[in-house]
Amino acid sequence: MVEEKVSEEKKVGGKTVKEIKPSSETLKPTKIAVVRCDIVSEACPGVGCFKAFNERESHFENYDENAEMIAFFTCGGCSGRRVFRLLKALKKHEPDVVHLSSCMLMEGFYPKCPNLDTIRKTIQNEGIEIVEGTHH
């Protein structure tokens, strides 16, 4: 975590000095996880997702510099069987949001995920916010 510092002026021995101290409010980083298509992961190393995150572009543009990518995992194949188990394991790391990767949502080069509704419901049941998309 990054602590914001507050500068305060006060009089000491007739002189004005600045005292720097941590603010009462600590900035908590936004913790992000990305779930992606297992089939697509055989051909895609995830560079587009990470590039968009690192440069705060596309679906990552609203995050500040304190945001952290804490997990990047595949669904486990059709039926999305791995999502439930991995979210349970992630809970102790307190993720704030799960992005559904662009490869799960697009139609064209890859087929759109046939299990999106089930995966969305699994994430929602854990009380974690969902963002649809990463770099497209």
Side-chain angles (χ1 to χ4, degrees), residues 85-136:
R85 290 191 314 265
L86 290 175
L87 287 177
K88 291 289 184 198
L90 270 174
K91 285 297 272 194
K92 66 183 173 191
H93 300 284
E94 302 175 339
D96 296 301
V97 62
V98 172
H99 279 252
L100 301 176
S101 64
S102 296
C103 61
M104 296 175 72
L105 305 164
M106 296 172 20
E107 292 188 74
F109 191 68
Y110 302 114
K112 185 176 178 180
C113 175
N115 302 293
L116 274 174
D117 290 337
T118 302
I119 292 170
R120 279 187 199 107
K121 189 171 184 77
T122 300
I123 297 166
Q124 288 169 337
N125 288 345
E126 292 300 318
I128 303 170
E129 179 185 348
I130 299 171
V131 172
E132 296 200 5
T134 50
H135 61 291
H136 290 288

Side-chain angles (χ1 to χ4, degrees), residues 19-39:
E19 180 181 42
I20 299 175
K21 59 183 179 180
S23 72
S24 57
E25 194 175 310
T26 306
L27 297 177
K28 179 186 174 290
T30 302
K31 295 180 180 181
I32 303 166
V34 173
V35 60
R36 66 190 192 134
C37 174
D38 192 67
I39 294 168

Side-chain angles (χ1 to χ4, degrees), residues 7 14-17 20 22 24-25 31 42 45-46 50 52 62 66 72 84 93 95 104 106 114-115:
S7 177
K15 293 184 178 182
T16 303
V17 294
I20 299 175
S24 57
E25 194 175 310
K31 295 180 180 181
E42 294 177 14
F50 279 98
N62 293 325
N66 293 319
F72 189 76
F84 177 79
H93 300 284
M104 296 175 72
M106 296 172 20
N115 302 293

